[in-house]
Structures are given as C-alpha cells and as structure tokens.
Amino acid sequence: MVSAVFHSPLDTSLPVPRAGESRAQAAPHPGLLPATEKQEKEQGQRTPIDLRAFWMRVLPPLAGFGLLLLIWEVVAMKSTTGFPTPMATWQQAVTVFSDPFYSKGPNDQGVGWNVLSSLQRVALGFGLAALVGIPAGFAIGRFEFLSRMFNPLISLLRPVSPLAWLPIGLLVFKGANPAAIWTIFICSIWPMIINTAVGVQRVPTDYMNVAKVLNLSEWKILTKILFPAVLPYTLTGVRLAVGTAWLVIVAAEMLTGGVGIGFWVWDEWNNLNVANIIIAIFVIGIVGLVLEFALIKLATAFTFEEVKH
C-alpha cells in the first residue's frame, strides 16, 4: 500500500533537516526571520554619518576665509588710496578670467599665458636641478671623501638669497629668460642634494653589510638597496625644491620682465591696478597649492609612509 505525504507551500521554503536533526533545529529561512532581527541586521550594515567630524572639516576653513574677507573689507573701507573691496576684486576677476589667453603683443597677454610661461621656466630650471642634484646627493651620501669635499661648499652657498644669483645669470647667459631659469636651478638644487645625501647616510648599516657579504656591485647597491630606502627623503627634497622654485620665479620675473606671472604683477603695479595684483596673489597661491598637492600624491604613491603637509 502506497501512502502519499502532502506538504504545505510554507514547508517548501524551510530548509531540509540533516540526518538526526529535527526540522525545528534546522536554520530558519532568511525570509522568515522576525521583523526585529531584520531591522537589527539592516542597522548593523548601515554606517552612521559622523556629522561632527564633517562640520569640523568644513567649518574651520570657512571661518578662516570669512575672517580674511572681513579684515579685507575693513581695510578697504578705512583706506584712502582706493584699495579694492572683495566684491570689486571679484568683479575684476570675472573680467580677467573671461578671456585668460588673449594676446595683444609681448607685453599685453592674458593671465593664462603668464602662468604657463612661469611654469615653463620652473619646469626647465627644476628639471635641470633634479638631473644634477639627485645623483650628486647619492654620491655625496655614499662616499665619505665627496661628503667632506662638498659639505663646506654647500654650507657656504645654500644660505645665499636666490635673487643674488640673478645678476650672475644675466652676465653669463646675456638674456633674461636663461637668467631666470638659472636662478630656479641654483635655488632648487640644494634641497634635493641635502635630503638625498642625508637619506643615503641614514640607510641601516646592516643593509650595507649584507651587500658586502653578497659581493654586490655598486650598481646593484644603488638600485636594490639605496634607491628604495632613500626615495622618501628624495621626494621630500623635491617638494621643498619646487615650492622654493615657484616662490623665486615670481621675484625673478619682476626684475627681468618679459612674460610671466611675476612680470604681470609688476606691470599691473605700474598701471596702479591693485585689483589685478590681488588676483595675481591668489593665482600664485592656487598654483603653488596645486603643485604641492600633486607632489604629495606622487610621494604617497611611491612611499609606504603617510605623507603629511
């Protein structure tokens, strides 16, 4: 005699118990969990928003800019020389940036061309400094004779103001543009030499002892031991150098003329256009901030340590 067993539709959704296990002991189906358990699961998966941390990141910068605008407005109100207000400067900035790449001759070009010209000089001078300074730093840090030979010269020349080298560049290169690039080169090279040399000297002695035991060549020591260990120091020197280079190019262009953000500041001063000078100050700061941010990202990508401002 064959007997048929009929199950309700509800039973089909329940898990089949294992051998020796009753249906009540089997794990419940997710769809049949009590409502309270579902809510607890959903709440556990949601990440709460930390509003206090958000406002602590947003409010202090806004308060700082607000204080700057307030002081600026008070100075403009008290000034008797026509110092522009923040609103007047903003209106002038809209006009300036509406056509930043116009060109009406060598001495009348938009702010975009001036910034690009300055960045080009910085790139050339900074690039030459990196090509010379980083290998020189490795050599000075690696060999004691070179360290004793060049340390007095570096200590003597490093404190010299970068602009003091500008007349030498004008005398040697007979041109304003090469002289400005020379000034960038000479002021950018010292941070890269010093930081790279210090990084090489701080490589653990155990690493070098292992290299001697393995009888590694100088090239292997450089590429496999020194370069990875010294890279954070070198990138720090690069960050310091590019910041100094951007500061110096503005002053150098004010003295040499031509096209550049420094020359634009000086030309606007001769025209008594203070609003454009303030705009140039903000442009210089923003470009410097972008360069710093880019180098921080580069340093973070190639080092294991967190790079801080």
Side-chain angles (χ1 to χ4, degrees):
M1 180 178 178
V2 180
S3 62
V5 179
F6 297 95
H7 300 281
S8 67
L10 183 62
D11 292 338
T12 59
S13 61
L14 293 174
V16 179
R18 298 186 184 93
E21 183 184 26
S22 65
R23 185 177 295 275
Q25 294 175 337
H29 192 272
L32 301 177
L33 287 175
T36 54
E37 292 185 21
K38 277 188 175 181
Q39 292 173 358
E40 288 176 1
K41 276 195 171 185
E42 291 176 358
Q43 290 175 358
Q45 292 175 355
R46 293 174 186 169
T47 303
I49 300 175
D50 192 352
L51 293 177
R52 185 177 182 278
F54 172 76
W55 288 116
M56 284 300 294
R57 290 178 63 89
V58 172
L59 285 180
L62 292 179
F65 281 109
L67 180 61
L68 174 64
L69 292 176
L70 179 62
I71 296 174
W72 184 356
E73 185 70 32
V74 171
V75 171
M77 290 174 60
K78 299 292 184 181
S79 175
T80 58
T81 58
F83 194 83
T85 63
M87 183 55 66
T89 305
W90 171 259
Q91 294 173 352
Q92 179 65 18
V94 172
T95 303
V96 168
F97 288 104
S98 62
D99 188 13
F101 291 101
Y102 77 88
S103 180
K104 298 179 180 178
N107 295 328
D108 187 11
Q109 298 192 24
V111 64
W113 293 121
N114 286 285
V115 171
L116 290 178
S117 297
S118 297
L119 287 174
Q120 182 180 10
R121 294 189 183 99
V122 168
L124 288 173
F126 177 80
L128 291 174
L131 288 176
V132 176
I134 293 176
F138 271 100
I140 292 171
R142 180 75 176 93
F143 302 106
E144 185 178 359
F145 179 83
L146 293 179
S147 177
R148 293 180 179 273
M149 177 180 176
F150 286 105
N151 277 343
L153 294 176
I154 294 173
S155 299
L156 175 66
L157 298 177
R158 184 175 61 87
V160 177
S161 172
L163 293 181
W165 296 99
L166 185 60
I168 304 298
L170 291 171
L171 178 65
V172 173
F173 298 106
K174 310 294 184 183
N177 193 53
I181 295 173
W182 153 257
T183 306
I184 296 301
F185 168 82
I186 202 66
C187 78
S188 302
I189 197 171
W190 307 125
M192 286 187 276
I193 290 178
I194 293 171
N195 280 272
T196 304
V198 169
V200 173
Q201 291 169 354
R202 291 187 179 180
V203 172
T205 309
D206 294 342
Y207 293 0
M208 306 309 297
N209 292 336
V210 171
K212 290 180 181 179
V213 171
L214 296 176
N215 197 22
L216 297 180
S217 64
E218 195 63 36
W219 176 253
K220 286 286 186 181
I221 293 174
L222 175 64
T223 56
K224 301 298 183 181
I225 297 177
L226 293 182
F227 184 76
V230 177
L231 186 58
Y233 294 90
T234 301
L235 291 175
T236 300
V238 168
R239 287 176 56 201
L240 296 174
V242 77
T244 304
W246 183 244
L247 291 175
V248 170
I249 191 60
V250 175
E253 289 173 346
M254 291 175 71
L255 297 177
T256 58
V259 181
I261 192 66
F263 169 73
W264 194 60
V265 171
W266 190 250
D267 188 53
E268 295 302 325
W269 165 248
N270 291 329
N271 295 329
L272 296 178
N273 195 341
V274 183
N276 278 3
I277 296 176
I278 297 174
I279 293 169
I281 291 172
F282 278 101
V283 169
I284 293 168
I286 292 171
V287 173
L289 186 65
V290 170
L291 292 175
E292 177 76 7
F293 180 78
L295 288 174
I296 288 175
K297 288 299 183 184
L298 178 65
T300 305
F302 286 96
T303 57
F304 296 102
E305 300 176 359
E306 182 181 359
V307 180
K308 298 181 180 180
H309 295 275

